[in-house]
Amino acid sequence: MVSRSPVHRPAPLFARIARAAAVSLALAVPSAAAAETRIAVVDVQHAVMQTEDGIRAQATLKKLFDRRQQELDAKQTELQRAREDIEKQSRVLSRESLQKRMEDWQRQMVELQTVFVDYNKELQKKQGELTGPILKKMMLIVGRIAKKSGYEIIFDKQAAPYVRADLDLTEQVIQLYNTGGGEDDAGGDKAEKKDDAK
């Protein structure tokens, strides 16, 4: 900011009014633009999981997870017992035997951790396979809603720290998905196919 010297003359009245008007206009334009821009949000993750397909996918994943978890729990229990047995026999075993059993136990623990990592990767892959098509279909529905209702932007709700409740389209998206994806809304797929053919 430039400091005024004692001999600095104030700007002419016309120039000051013009500057004030420009500032007012600059402040008014974004407000007008914001009033015209239609924005909404969708909680994509919640929507995917609450569709009928999403609920089925979760059930499939839960069965797979439960089976894998039982296997891991059984192996972990077995290793826990082996550790307790080693500790009990530590006084009667020779140093070499004790060291050998501990090394074997540690090797099995590393193997269990590797299996755990592999199971997690398998579950993530399966989740992607099951939810990928649901997400793709959902994005088409979000696009249709945006076209039909004139939304310029639809954000993922997870990215917004605050959203007014009436701007949340999540339930609408879930309903459209479960009733066939909203193909007939705003012309739906048929209209889009016609546009593509042109």
Side-chain angles (χ1 to χ4, degrees):
M1 187 173 179
V2 178
S3 59
R4 291 188 179 183
S5 64
V7 293
H8 180 77
R9 290 185 178 181
L13 181 60
F14 178 79
R16 282 187 283 165
I17 292 170
R19 274 200 302 268
V23 170
S24 298
L25 183 61
L27 293 173
V29 169
S31 299
E36 292 171 11
T37 303
R38 295 204 68 204
I39 297 172
V41 296
V42 173
D43 188 336
V44 177
Q45 185 178 356
H46 174 75
V48 167
M49 292 299 112
Q50 292 307 307
T51 62
E52 291 168 5
D53 289 342
I55 291 166
R56 280 193 291 274
Q58 286 180 84
T60 302
L61 286 168
K62 187 177 185 312
K63 282 180 190 172
L64 181 61
F65 173 81
D66 287 349
R67 190 169 71 244
R68 295 290 188 248
Q69 192 62 48
Q70 285 172 3
E71 292 170 15
L72 289 170
D73 288 347
K75 186 65 179 170
Q76 195 168 4
T77 302
E78 182 187 321
L79 285 172
Q80 181 64 33
R81 285 181 186 149
R83 175 69 190 234
E84 289 168 3
D85 188 51
I86 291 169
E87 287 173 359
K88 283 177 187 174
Q89 295 187 19
S90 62
R91 291 186 183 133
V92 293
L93 289 172
S94 68
R95 186 175 176 185
E96 291 79 17
S97 297
L98 183 62
Q99 185 175 350
K100 187 181 176 193
R101 287 193 65 181
M102 279 303 298
E103 285 171 0
D104 184 52
W105 182 86
Q106 287 169 348
R107 180 184 52 76
Q108 289 182 63
M109 276 298 291
V110 170
E111 286 173 3
L112 179 61
Q113 288 168 351
T114 303
V115 169
F116 177 77
V117 170
D118 289 344
Y119 281 175
N120 272 339
K121 286 179 183 174
E122 182 187 352
L123 284 170
Q124 287 173 0
K125 184 181 176 187
K126 189 69 175 173
Q127 184 176 19
E129 289 171 2
L130 292 172
T131 60
I134 303 170
L135 184 61
K136 187 175 179 183
K137 184 177 174 184
M138 188 161 287
M139 291 303 100
L140 291 172
I141 293 167
V142 170
R144 289 186 197 115
I145 291 172
K147 280 184 185 176
K148 180 181 178 183
S149 302
Y151 291 109
E152 282 84 9
I153 302 171
I154 298 181
F155 290 104
D156 187 340
K157 190 176 180 181
Q158 302 296 326
Y162 168 78
V163 179
R164 222 173 54 209
D166 60 315
L167 300 177
D168 190 343
L169 306 177
T170 306
E171 292 306 315
Q172 183 182 351
V173 170
I174 294 168
Q175 287 174 7
L176 281 172
Y177 185 103
N178 287 336
T179 57
E183 287 89 350
D184 298 323
D185 286 359
D189 288 339
K190 293 174 186 173
E192 285 174 18
K193 285 174 186 171
K194 284 180 187 175
D195 289 342
D196 292 341
K198 291 177 187 177

